[in-house]
């Protein structure tokens, strides 16, 4: 298993362990959330939730009336109205508390450390990490903690990022390319790197994570605002209805107390969804964090639920990023062991990722002969190799090696061209290996096949995206032949070859003009404009700082197929809101049959027929409805936090399922609940 395979497996194991251990709602979480819930009873905090603010005002009013009236029913209604408000704030407090628990572990990364800052003249001074500013260059060696977010500008090192990502296996960070970004608080395990700091104190990646998981910067999304407006409108309507009922009842000689009318109003307004709405939004972002995805806004989470086009940068996203040697093909007449031996010898001086991959691929133990002079790869010669007494070996681009063979009296067999053409047609890069021995003409031994290696399991994940109705498009700077081959291997629906940053941006805008919601995955600086334009921009954590700043999500695992989880959570968020809204409205029906007959049966006995639950007394009916209205909020908190399970299906099927489960369920549950409560409540003395 490769290091990258090990990383992926380790992360997968960690992620499932993390989710399973933290997703269970227990009594301790409720207890810890109570102080926060009590603080949220402050009207200044509650005004953003108009439904619950109205309930609190009603609770205050019934408290005053109960003091004046001193009736058992008045005090029972008052007590449960206060509990209704408390349960509503408890739901939000529990959701926030789960994020705060994660933030506490992140704060451990912010311990102030010393840093070795390098001045422009090359001198090094030891300073506090708090004194670092963007642009400073620091040296970090094995065993030291990286003092701030930045980019590696010199060297290569393995880095332990487990404190940020949960990943136990180290990752490689090196200068240049798209794996140069490092996060403050992570630890260098080997070698030494020079890091240019990119963040100011208090504005690091970890600072942003802490603020976001605590929910302090969570803004209400357009969908959430629209639903709040709807709930406020329904609340206003029922306020008017209940207010006018007082005078209608008085006119019809069925006088009602304001306590009863307040109870009716609280039971009829959408308190269930009003109490849980904020918790649903917070929990959506929390579920992303538990899957190692940092969402910069709730808006991005919601947008993910509506994504229907996904654009993915090829290099580092669909493929591992560096071309790797996958096979060595000998020409006719040359043994496999011979061509592998000379291919490895020719790569000993090649420090490029491709050269290192050749050395790793060939297991044979090969040592350079005595007196060897290594020939390093250069852009001018396009070859690398070695010169030893009586032996010269070269490896490089086909045209360069062919010319070298001709200069040294050799000829290139026709089979070489066939092998090179076959590798090129498959989207790979051919490197020709040749040798010249003492007294002989140079000759070609074989061809090394370099290719962009597609990440394991990615094709299956793209199949899942297709089942969810999401079209995948690979974007690459490669030529059309190479792009086509990689696209076919990865299983994407389409590709854009030889793409510039402007081309990526134009493609996203074209899709958006067509009414599509576009998500973009990328990791490079050249992906930043597209990540910023996309409705959902998912930057890989292994990518550059520019990419992470441009996106509205950061995948800490750097797994492009994580978008499946992101989309599922986005859809889950929207479906959960819809399901609980449906339930909240449906369960009002039972309350009509409980409270309205209780209010008017004394003056209009014929309304007794509406008492289909056969509730014992008008007073117990009203109190039972109020108690159920409060308890159902607590019962639904786990569902609000966990979310309604999403299954890929059509919108019609989802709507039918929603109505069947939460519409019918919301209709039946209150009839059963209110009846069961009434069996005990009517026994209370004085009621």
């Amino acid at each position: 298993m490769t290091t990258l395979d090990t990383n992926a497996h380790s992360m997968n194991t960690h992620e499932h362990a993390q989710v399973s251990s933290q997703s269970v709602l227990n009594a301790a979480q409720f207890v810890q959330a109570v102080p926060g819930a009590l603080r949220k009873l402050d009207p200044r905090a509650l005004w953003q939730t108009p439904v619950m603010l109205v309930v609190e005002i009603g609770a205050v009013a019934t408290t005053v009336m109960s003091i004046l009236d001193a009736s058992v029913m008045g005090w029972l209604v008052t007590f449960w109205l206060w509990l209704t408000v408390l349960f509503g704030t408890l739901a939000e407090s529990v959701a926030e508390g789960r994020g705060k628990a994660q933030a506490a572990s992140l704060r451990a990364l912010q311990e102030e450390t010393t840093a070795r800052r390098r001045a422009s003249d090359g001198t090094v001074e030891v300073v506090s990490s708090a004194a670092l500013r963007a642009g400073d260059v620091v040296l970090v060696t094995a065993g030291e903690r990286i003092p701030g977010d930045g980019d590696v500008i010199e060297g290569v090192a393995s880095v332990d990022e487990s404190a940020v990502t949960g990943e136990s296996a180290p990752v490689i960070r090196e200068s240049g390319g798209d794996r140069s970004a490092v996060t403050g608080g992570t630890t260098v395990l080997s070698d030494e790197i020079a890091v240019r700091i990119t963040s100011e104190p208090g504005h690091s990646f970890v600072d942003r994570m802490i603020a976001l998981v605590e929910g302090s910067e969570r803004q209400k999304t357009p969908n959430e605002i629209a639903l709040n407006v709807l709930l406020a409108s329904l609340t206003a309507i029922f306020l008017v209805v209940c207010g006018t009922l007082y005078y209608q009842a008085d006119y019809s000689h069925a006088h009602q107390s304001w306590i009863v009318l307040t109870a009716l109003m609280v039971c009829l307004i959408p308190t269930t969804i009003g109490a849980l709405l904020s918790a649903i939004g917070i929990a959506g972002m929390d579920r992303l964090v538990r899957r190692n995805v940092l969402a910069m806004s709730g808006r991005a989470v919601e947008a993910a639920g509506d994504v229907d086009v996904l654009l993915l940068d090829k290099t580092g996203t669909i493929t591992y990023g560096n071309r790797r040697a996958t096979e060595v093909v000998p020409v006719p007449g040359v043994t496999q062991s011979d061509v592998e031996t000379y291919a490895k010898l020719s790569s000993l001086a090649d420090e490029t990722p491709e050269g290192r991959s050749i050395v790793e691929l060939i297991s044979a133990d090969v040592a350079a002969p005595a007196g060897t002079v290594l020939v390093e790869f250069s852009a001018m010669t396009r070859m690398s190799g070695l010169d030893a007494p009586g032996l010269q070996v070269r490896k490089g681009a086909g045209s360069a090696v062919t010319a070298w063979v001709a200069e040294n009296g050799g000829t290139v067999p026709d089979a070489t061209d066939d092998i090179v053409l076959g590798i090129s047609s498959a989207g790979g890069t051919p490197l020709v290996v040749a040798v010249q021995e003492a007294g002989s003409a140079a000759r070609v031994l074989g061809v090394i096949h370099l290719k962009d290696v597609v990440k394991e399991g990615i094709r299956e994940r793209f199949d899942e995206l297709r089942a969810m109705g999401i079209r995948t498009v690979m974007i690459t700077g490669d030529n059309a032949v190479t792009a086509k081959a990689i696209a076919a291997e990865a299983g994407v629906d389409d590709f854009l070859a030889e793409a510039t940053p402007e081309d990526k941006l134009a493609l996203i805008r074209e899709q958006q003009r067509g009414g599509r919601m576009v998500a973009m995955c990328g990791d490079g600086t050249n992906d930043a404009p597209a990540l910023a334009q996309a409705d959902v921009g998912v930057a890989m954590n292994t990518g550059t700082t520019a990419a992470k700043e441009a996106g509205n999500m950061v995948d800490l695992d750097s797994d492009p197929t994580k978008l499946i989880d992101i989309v599922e959570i986005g859809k889950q968020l929207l479906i959960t809101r819809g399901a609980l809204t449906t339930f909240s409205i449906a369960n009002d029906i039972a309350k009509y049959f409980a409270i309205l007959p209780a209010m008017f049966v004394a003056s209009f006995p014929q309304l007794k027929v509406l008492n289909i639950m056969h509730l014992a007394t008008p007073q117990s009916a009203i109190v039972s409805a109020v108690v159920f209205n409060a308890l159902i909020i607590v019962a639904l908190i786990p569902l609000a936090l966990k979310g309604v399970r999403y299954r890929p299906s059509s919108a019609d099927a989802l709507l039918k399922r929603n109505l069947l489960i939460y519409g019918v369920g919301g209709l039946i549950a209150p009839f059963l609940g209110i009846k069961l409560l009434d069996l005990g409540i009517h026994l209370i003395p004085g009621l």
Side-chain angles (χ1 to χ4, degrees):
M1 182 179 287
T2 66
T3 301
L4 283 167
D5 293 336
T6 305
N7 288 357
H9 174 75
S10 174
M11 186 62 249
N12 191 50
T13 302
H14 162 80
E15 177 183 321
H16 287 297
Q18 184 186 50
V19 172
S20 62
S21 65
Q22 295 184 359
S23 61
V24 178
L25 190 64
N26 52 50
Q29 289 176 308
F30 274 112
V31 173
Q32 293 168 2
V34 168
L38 291 172
R39 287 192 295 271
K40 290 179 182 294
L41 292 177
D42 185 336
R44 292 171 296 182
L46 208 59
W47 74 268
Q48 294 185 13
T49 310
V51 175
M52 300 314 297
L53 180 60
V54 168
V55 178
E56 184 173 57
I57 293 171
V60 172
T62 57
T63 301
V64 174
M65 288 183 280
S66 296
I67 292 173
L68 297 176
D69 186 42
S71 68
V72 174
M73 191 189 81
W75 281 114
L76 283 173
V77 169
T78 297
F79 174 75
W80 283 98
L81 288 186
W82 279 113
L83 280 185
T84 301
V85 185
L86 180 62
F87 292 159
T89 58
L90 183 67
E92 184 174 356
S93 186
V94 169
E96 290 178 351
R98 285 150 60 99
K100 289 176 180 177
Q102 294 179 4
S105 63
L106 289 172
R107 283 198 173 90
L109 294 177
Q110 295 188 304
E111 296 176 3
E112 187 171 306
T113 59
T114 57
R116 292 184 292 131
R117 182 169 61 188
R118 187 172 69 187
S120 57
D121 60 1
T123 60
V124 177
E125 60 176 337
V126 177
V127 300
S128 166
S129 59
L132 295 175
R133 295 294 181 268
D136 288 347
V137 175
V138 297
L139 301 177
V140 190
T141 192
E144 294 180 346
R145 180 174 293 194
I146 297 172
D149 295 354
D151 292 319
V152 179
I153 58 173
E154 294 175 16
V156 57
S158 59
V159 178
D160 177 9
E161 295 188 340
S162 59
V164 175
T165 66
E167 172 59 75
S168 58
V171 295
I172 300 299
R173 292 290 178 264
E174 57 188 340
S175 60
D178 293 336
R179 289 182 171 80
S180 60
V182 290
T183 304
T186 57
T187 304
V188 173
L189 298 179
S190 68
D191 304 295
E192 182 178 75
I193 52 176
V195 177
R196 178 178 288 114
I197 301 298
T198 58
S199 64
E200 297 289 348
H203 295 83
S204 69
F205 188 64
V206 173
D207 287 317
R208 291 164 65 193
M209 287 184 69
I210 291 172
L212 287 163
V213 298
E214 284 185 328
S216 59
E217 293 185 5
R218 195 189 79 87
Q219 302 296 316
K220 291 187 182 296
T221 63
N223 180 283
E224 193 173 355
I225 292 171
L227 191 50
N228 259 323
V229 170
L230 173 63
L231 300 182
S233 300
L234 291 174
T235 301
I237 291 171
F238 283 115
L239 275 170
V240 173
V241 169
C242 292
T244 56
L245 264 180
Y246 177 84
Y247 299 101
Q248 292 174 0
D250 193 52
Y251 179 78
S252 58
H253 306 291
H255 179 75
Q256 301 296 323
S257 71
W258 282 109
I259 290 179
V260 172
L261 289 171
T262 302
L264 174 65
M265 178 201 66
V266 170
C267 288
L268 296 186
I269 64 176
T271 50
T272 305
I273 184 61
L276 299 174
L277 183 58
S278 184
I280 294 169
I282 295 172
M285 294 182 69
D286 179 66
R287 284 194 293 275
L288 274 180
V289 172
R290 291 174 189 277
R291 286 165 176 77
N292 276 0
V293 177
L294 178 62
M296 305 306 178
S297 69
R299 182 191 296 267
V301 183
E302 276 189 4
D306 291 324
V307 163
D308 45 23
V309 177
L310 167 62
L311 309 182
L312 303 104
D313 180 56
K314 185 207 71 174
T315 306
T317 304
I318 292 177
T319 65
Y320 281 109
N322 293 318
R323 292 173 301 172
R324 294 182 173 188
T326 57
E327 63 176 335
V328 182
V329 183
V331 298
V334 178
T335 64
Q336 186 72 37
S337 61
D338 280 349
V339 70
E340 288 184 355
T341 297
Y342 287 112
K344 191 166 187 176
L345 282 173
S346 67
S347 301
L348 294 177
D350 188 354
E351 291 301 320
T352 65
E354 292 84 356
R356 292 197 296 267
S357 75
I358 296 170
V359 175
E360 293 170 1
L361 174 68
I362 300 170
S363 58
D365 188 11
V366 177
T372 291
V373 176
L374 298 177
V375 178
E376 296 183 1
F377 176 84
S378 74
M380 182 175 294
T381 64
R382 295 188 297 156
M383 294 186 297
S384 65
L386 61 79
D387 291 336
L391 177 69
Q392 286 185 307
V393 184
R394 293 293 184 271
K395 171 216 70 189
S399 59
V401 175
T402 297
W404 181 83
V405 170
E407 290 173 3
N408 288 276
T411 58
V412 178
D414 294 339
T416 304
D417 292 336
D418 294 337
I419 297 171
V420 168
L421 181 60
I423 292 173
S424 298
S425 299
T429 300
L431 296 179
V432 178
V433 180
V435 63
Q436 182 186 30
E437 297 168 313
S440 301
R443 59 193 177 98
V444 172
L445 300 177
V447 184
I448 301 169
H449 184 175
L450 296 179
K451 65 177 293 187
D452 260 346
V453 179
V454 173
K455 294 182 178 179
E456 291 83 359
I458 202 166
R459 187 182 187 92
E460 292 73 18
R461 298 288 270 174
F462 286 151
D463 289 340
E464 292 180 48
L465 285 168
R466 195 173 295 108
M468 296 166 67
I470 298 174
R471 181 169 171 267
T472 54
V473 181
M474 182 186 78
I475 302 176
T476 178
D478 289 339
N479 61 63
V481 173
T482 300
K484 183 177 181 180
I486 296 294
E489 184 178 354
V492 295
D493 297 312
D494 201 356
F495 66 90
L496 177 65
E498 300 179 0
T500 64
E502 292 78 13
D503 293 332
K504 299 176 186 180
L505 200 58
L507 179 59
I508 291 176
R509 288 172 176 168
E510 177 187 348
Q511 297 291 327
Q512 290 172 331
R513 282 194 297 269
R516 299 178 181 88
M517 294 288 284
V518 181
M520 167 76 185
C521 284
D523 61 353
T525 300
N526 65 338
D527 296 323
L531 288 169
Q533 177 67 35
D535 299 289
V536 180
V538 184
M540 302 294 104
N541 191 43
T542 55
T544 61
T545 301
K548 290 193 283 187
E549 291 289 341
N552 50 25
M553 292 188 185
V554 176
D555 176 15
L556 301 180
D557 297 335
S558 300
D559 175 8
T561 61
K562 185 70 69 65
L563 189 84
I564 294 175
D565 296 324
I566 295 172
V567 170
E568 285 182 348
I569 290 171
K571 290 184 181 295
Q572 193 178 47
L573 174 64
L574 298 177
I575 291 171
T576 302
R577 281 196 189 136
L580 293 183
T581 301
T582 302
F583 185 94
S584 180
I585 294 173
N587 71 19
D588 282 348
I589 296 175
K591 299 166 193 174
Y592 293 131
F593 287 95
I595 297 181
L596 291 178
M599 291 173 62
F600 295 103
V601 71
S603 300
F604 304 99
Q606 58 269 36
L607 289 179
K608 188 175 181 180
V609 70
L610 295 179
N611 184 18
I612 60 177
M613 289 179 278
H614 301 290
L615 303 179
T617 65
Q619 292 80 8
S620 69
I622 293 169
V623 174
S624 297
V626 172
V627 173
F628 176 84
N629 196 64
L631 293 180
I632 197 64
I633 295 173
V634 178
L636 291 175
I637 288 177
L639 180 61
L641 298 181
K642 182 180 179 182
V644 176
R645 183 180 177 185
Y646 167 73
R647 296 184 179 89
S649 57
S650 67
D652 288 343
L654 287 173
L655 179 60
K656 289 177 182 177
R657 178 171 173 267
N658 183 38
L659 292 175
L660 179 63
I661 297 177
Y662 298 97
V664 176
L667 187 65
I668 295 174
F671 280 99
L672 297 176
I674 291 173
K675 176 60 180 177
L676 290 173
L677 288 168
D678 179 75
L679 293 176
I681 287 175
H682 87 277
L683 300 176
I684 297 175
L687 187 64

